[in-house]
Amino acid sequence: MSAKRISLRYWGVDIQQFLFWILAAFVAGAGPNIAGALGLAPLIGVTVAAALIVLLIWLKNKRKKGIGVFIHLPRANDRPLPDDFVPQLIKYMSKRHLDWFQAGPDDESRSVRDRVDYLLKSILHRLDEARLRLENIPQVSVYLYSRQEEAFELGGQLSGQWQRPSLDGSSSLEPLRSSVNWKVSYRSMHDNVVNNYHINLGKIINGGAPDPEDCTVESRADIYAGHGMPEPLVPRFGVIIFATSGGESAYNAFTKLALKSAAGKAGTGYITSDDDRCESAVLIHIPGEELIHELKSGRADKRIHSALKFCQQECIHAYGRDDIPMRVYIKGPALLAFAAGAILNSNSKVIEFDPNLQLLSEETSHGTERVVYALLDGDDVGVGMEKNLLSNQLDSAIAYSAWVDESITTLINKLESIEGVRLRSKGGDSAIFEMPDRIQASFEATIARFRNESDFRVSCGYGSDCDKAYAALRLAKSSGKNLSSGAAQ
């Protein structure tokens, strides 16, 4: 049972408030009547002491504002949080907010969209309970710990909930929408130093005209042609934001790699598909050190608003409207991805970067071409089937089997469509592939995309022969499943 659940306050008894009103009643008159027999001097002393305690409790509670919400969205292969991370945050929230609660971690096997959707619904339910208990919520402070992809999705869904009307014309968050000040913090830890970055969601969404002094903007048209790629079949607009330290060389290196990925080139480390290929792009350079300083002090809203509004303006300039799906590349804190999700249109998404894919591409781009075998196998499929059968749920078992077959078939078709990949065998929830080593990065990127988009969990092992590939598959499954392992050797 969590610390909050066993606290008296959780069960409806607020000791501080109880003590406050008892002492207030004593100061107001009940106490003096009882203590009258003690004499004037003791009476004055007891009354002054009670008044001081009441004042201290009142000052302490006056400093607390709204509700604190800690959102934790880890992935299965993420490093665990330090042992003192959550206790420190709970202590921080307890000092600053009237109440707090934690959302997540949840089922890490589901897609990013489904996880965020579930978490947001539970948060809104808890906020509604808090509103009834506290009568009003002047401020909601969200403390976020996640990757950029989850932060972007959360920003988009929260912004959509904020602005979406209900059937009677009011907001689905009324009365929270118009009366609540939504503040979001990204809590990070580097070298055992905790950093809190803060933004105000309302100020970012409802800010004024963008200020050219806040960032530099550069537009690029027909980026596919410059990289020898065919024109995309559907319009996509690339948004490339550099918001960290490193100077001009780091900016150039990042934008070069992001532009290459946006044009559709493989081997960049970014997990993309043909649907992510862009015609044109905008490059945004936010001074990293200035942004971090402003995020720590809570004054970054104007700069972030300007950068994202410039993205929308450049999209309008290129296409005549701002509802073109955007593919976002961010070098900066996850809080910036959250803000981008809240501002940019709902068809947009952050492109995920996996450094292992980039290293894999570099390793296989030199020397003679070698053959790689890939063994693909669904995770816990038998367990899911047994659960339904042992519960005498025949219809559920049939539906589950059909879902497994559809999921693995979809993935196999995606992988088989990669030029150079040869399907050697398939059966049940397993498959064996053969490919040149130069294809492995694209092959793994396709699996990574599938994992992000589907609830179906699958492991993969690579090797220069079937024996090594099978050993790599067993290693992936013993390391947590829904992972890949191995390379050509």
Side-chain angles (χ1 to χ4, degrees):
M1 185 175 289
S2 66
K4 184 177 180 182
R5 188 169 291 275
I6 65 175
S7 67
L8 291 177
R9 181 176 180 180
Y10 182 86
W11 299 107
V13 180
D14 191 331
I15 301 300
Q16 290 186 1
Q17 292 294 323
F18 178 76
L19 181 60
F20 176 86
W21 289 113
I22 289 294
L23 294 175
F26 183 90
V27 174
N33 291 334
I34 296 173
L38 298 178
L40 182 60
L43 176 59
I44 293 176
V46 172
T47 303
V48 170
L52 288 175
I53 295 175
V54 168
L55 178 62
L56 290 174
I57 294 176
W58 181 80
L59 290 175
K60 181 180 179 181
N61 288 335
K62 186 175 177 61
R63 295 170 56 189
K64 295 184 176 182
K65 294 183 179 179
I67 305 296
V69 184
F70 173 41
I71 299 179
H72 187 200
L73 283 166
R75 296 197 187 172
N77 55 345
D78 284 352
R79 290 180 300 177
L81 289 173
D83 293 338
D84 60 344
F85 186 91
V86 174
Q88 285 183 11
L89 180 57
I90 290 174
K91 184 177 180 181
Y92 182 91
M93 291 190 295
S94 299
K95 288 182 178 180
R96 287 161 176 79
H97 305 299
L98 299 172
D99 199 2
W100 61 267
F101 60 87
Q102 178 175 340
D106 62 339
D107 183 0
E108 299 164 0
S109 66
R110 297 189 298 176
S111 65
V112 172
R113 181 179 295 273
D114 288 343
R115 294 181 65 200
V116 171
D117 179 67
Y118 174 79
L119 236 65
L120 186 56
K121 288 178 179 177
S122 65
I123 289 170
L124 296 179
H125 176 73
R126 295 288 296 274
L127 287 177
D128 190 54
E129 289 182 337
R131 179 179 62 83
L132 295 175
R133 185 172 64 255
L134 300 174
E135 296 184 355
N136 64 79
I137 306 175
Q139 177 178 303
V140 176
S141 296
V142 177
Y143 299 86
L144 176 64
Y145 193 92
S146 74
R147 296 193 187 191
Q148 288 185 353
E149 296 74 37
E150 286 82 354
F152 185 90
E153 181 67 29
L154 179 64
Q157 290 201 29
L158 182 57
S159 176
Q161 286 284 346
W162 186 330
Q163 302 177 65
R164 182 183 302 133
S166 61
L167 294 177
D168 61 0
S170 63
S171 166
S172 58
L173 286 184
E174 286 291 357
L176 295 178
R177 183 182 68 86
S178 59
S179 60
V180 173
N181 183 20
W182 289 80
K183 292 188 175 181
V184 183
S185 300
Y186 175 67
R187 191 171 177 88
S188 65
M189 176 173 286
H190 297 288
D191 298 327
N192 294 323
V193 177
V194 175
N195 293 307
N196 289 315
Y197 303 147
H198 311 281
I199 60 173
N200 188 309
L201 182 59
K203 290 182 179 179
I204 290 179
I205 292 178
N206 301 316
D211 186 349
E213 298 295 326
D214 289 333
C215 57
T216 59
V217 183
E218 181 183 356
S219 60
R220 297 284 182 90
D222 300 333
I223 59 175
Y224 58 90
H227 290 85
M229 300 296 292
E231 183 176 359
L233 298 177
V234 290
R236 297 288 184 268
F237 185 65
V239 173
I240 300 171
I241 302 176
F242 183 85
T244 188
S245 57
E248 196 69 20
S249 60
Y251 169 76
N252 291 335
F254 168 71
T255 54
K256 180 180 179 181
L257 193 67
L259 283 170
K260 181 180 177 182
S261 172
K265 299 288 287 186
T268 63
Y270 285 100
I271 303 174
T272 59
S273 66
D274 284 340
D275 186 59
D276 299 320
R277 293 176 54 224
C278 302
E279 293 178 303
S280 55
V282 59
L283 279 56
I284 303 290
H285 187 183
I286 303 175
E289 294 182 358
E290 295 180 22
L291 176 65
I292 295 302
H293 178 73
E294 291 172 350
L295 283 171
K296 290 181 179 179
S297 61
R299 296 183 292 106
D301 306 319
K302 174 177 172 294
R303 190 183 296 275
I304 294 176
H305 171 81
S306 294
L308 297 175
K309 281 299 180 182
F310 278 129
C311 295
Q312 292 178 319
Q313 289 184 0
E314 290 298 321
C315 185
I316 293 173
H317 178 74
Y319 295 98
R321 63 187 200 271
D322 67 352
D323 61 349
I324 297 296
M326 300 183 186
R327 298 300 180 252
V328 185
Y329 298 78
I330 295 179
K331 184 73 170 179
L335 195 56
L336 186 59
F338 174 89
I343 288 286
L344 303 181
N345 66 66
S346 59
N347 296 318
S348 304
K349 72 174 184 179
V350 162
I351 301 299
E352 182 178 0
F353 179 76
D354 186 344
N356 294 325
L357 295 182
Q358 186 182 27
L359 292 173
L360 179 61
S361 176
E362 292 173 354
E363 291 172 356
T364 57
S365 62
H366 304 286
T368 57
E369 188 170 89
R370 293 172 293 182
V371 174
V372 174
Y373 293 92
L375 270 61
L376 200 70
D377 188 61
D379 293 327
D380 299 323
V381 172
V383 174
M385 181 62 73
E386 285 180 4
K387 180 180 178 181
N388 287 308
L389 292 175
L390 292 175
S391 301
N392 199 29
Q393 302 290 331
L394 179 59
D395 291 340
S396 296
I398 293 173
Y400 177 79
S401 178
W403 173 73
V404 169
D405 183 65
E406 179 183 1
S407 299
I408 195 67
T409 299
T410 298
L411 177 56
I412 289 174
N413 290 341
K414 289 178 180 291
L415 296 171
E416 195 176 10
S417 67
I418 301 173
E419 185 177 357
V421 173
R422 180 185 177 191
L423 176 65
R424 298 297 302 271
S425 172
K426 66 176 180 179
D429 61 332
S430 302
I432 303 175
F433 295 89
E434 179 184 333
M435 73 198 82
D437 59 354
R438 60 181 172 80
I439 303 296
Q440 186 179 344
S442 297
F443 188 92
E444 177 59 26
T446 302
I447 296 177
R449 281 196 303 273
F450 176 82
R451 289 179 178 136
N452 284 342
E453 297 168 356
S454 173
D455 293 337
F456 186 75
R457 295 165 59 87
V458 62
S459 295
C460 183
Y462 299 98
S464 56
D465 54 42
C466 290
D467 181 39
K468 291 185 176 65
Y470 182 74
L473 175 64
R474 300 307 306 167
L475 178 61
K477 286 187 174 289
S478 64
S479 300
K481 302 181 180 180
N482 207 33
L483 300 171
S484 298
S485 177
Q489 297 176 355

